[in-house]
Amino acid sequence: MLYTFSQAHYSQTELEHYLLNATAQDAVVLWQDGVLLALKQADVLARCHASCFALENDILARNLTALLPNDAKVRSISLADFVALSEQYFPQIAL
């Protein structure tokens, strides 16, 4: 399953429900304002078993590159990578 998060604010309960129930066969993509979750919710994302990604263009647009540690759980991907992920993982939940 592919989980996409586009907002910067989710209830803690809702966010933990999705991220902590995701498995190693799932992927999480942060995009638009959702890339802010990589900083705001780094502890929850670190406990997520799914592969976690953030769209590079959205990271750059919000000037977050220097704030994301190199060893972060969330990896930066291009739009082409996102398209490939959307083809690989089905179904998709957009939040």
Side-chain angles (χ1 to χ4, degrees):
M1 183 168 297
L2 177 62
Y3 299 90
T4 60
F5 293 87
S6 63
Q7 300 174 31
H9 302 286
Y10 294 92
S11 76
Q12 192 69 27
T13 305
E14 179 184 23
L15 192 63
E16 287 179 355
H17 169 76
Y18 287 110
L19 293 178
L20 299 182
N21 287 312
T23 68
Q25 289 76 38
D26 299 324
V28 173
V29 175
L30 308 176
W31 68 306
Q32 296 180 345
D33 283 342
V35 297
L36 295 169
L37 295 173
L39 298 172
K40 295 171 57 174
Q41 297 291 338
D43 58 328
V44 177
L45 286 163
R47 293 183 285 150
C48 179
H49 295 292
S51 299
C52 298
F53 307 97
L55 278 180
E56 182 178 28
N57 287 348
D58 292 326
I59 292 170
L60 293 171
R62 287 154 185 83
N63 201 23
L64 299 176
T65 306
L67 299 176
L68 294 174
N70 291 336
D71 61 346
K73 165 84 174 178
V74 179
R75 294 183 320 162
S76 176
I77 60 170
S78 68
L79 191 54
D81 294 332
F82 179 52
V83 171
L85 284 173
S86 69
E87 293 173 341
Q88 180 181 357
Y89 293 92
F90 184 83
Q92 177 183 350
I93 295 179
L95 301 163

